Amino acid sequence: MKKALFVLIFIILSTTGVSAQSASLSITPSRHEIVAKPGSELSVTYKLTNQGDPTYATVDVLPFIPTAKGTVSVISKKDSLIRFTSGNVNIPLNKAIFLDSRESVDVIVDISIPENLKEADYYYTFLAKTEPPPGIEGGISVRVQEQLLSQMYIT
């Protein structure tokens, strides 16, 4: 009996802290279809909403190719002919931003279509992902990363 009580007390006292994060981002719209002429510049706006715990999030635009199986294959940004930049001074592409609980931000993406771009369909995805916080030293933590995509078709 004493031994069981000692083991129970030892387990209770040696238990480390536990933490978890709730991630819940949303993007609207889910798709943009854009008709643009070579040499044009335009902007599109996405609403990024954090419905979970405060978090850091990163946004970016990546090219992709549709596959025959109905899926997509993301390709390198360096292969992209169309250039994307942030239209927000405080929300750069590919840099973490802080989003509080229930906070929404408008992310403006500026698009530059080169003069010599041949007429074709070009596929991109607007990517938003959460950056999980560092774990608790000596504790147990659940680290969640969420990624959302919104398709962009440019012709």
Side-chain angles (χ1 to χ4, degrees), residues 2-15:
K2 280 187 178 183
K3 187 175 182 180
L5 184 60
F6 175 75
V7 170
L8 181 62
I9 291 172
F10 177 76
I11 290 172
I12 292 171
L13 293 178
S14 65
T15 302

Side-chain angles (χ1 to χ4, degrees), residues 34-84:
I34 301 164
V35 177
K37 294 182 179 184
S40 64
E41 299 207 3
L42 55 125
S43 297
V44 293
T45 302
Y46 293 92
K47 182 172 285 298
L48 178 62
T49 303
N50 177 24
Q51 298 163 336
D53 293 337
T55 191
Y56 284 92
T58 303
V59 294
D60 205 357
V61 178
L62 302 171
F64 74 90
I65 343 175
T67 66
K69 296 178 183 177
T71 60
V72 298
S73 177
V74 175
I75 58 176
S76 172
K77 279 176 92 168
K78 68 179 181 181
D79 296 331
S80 175
L81 300 171
I82 299 172
R83 297 289 168 232
F84 298 90

Side-chain angles (χ1 to χ4, degrees), residues 15-19 136 138-141:
T15 302
T16 57
V18 175
S19 69
I136 298 173
I140 300 169
S141 63

Side-chain angles (χ1 to χ4, degrees), residues 1-2 7 17 20 22 30 33 59 84 117 129 144 146 152:
M1 177 72 172
K2 280 187 178 183
V7 170
S22 166
S30 61
E33 294 182 27
V59 294
F84 298 90
L117 188 69
K129 64 180 178 178
V144 176
E146 180 180 21
M152 186 184 308

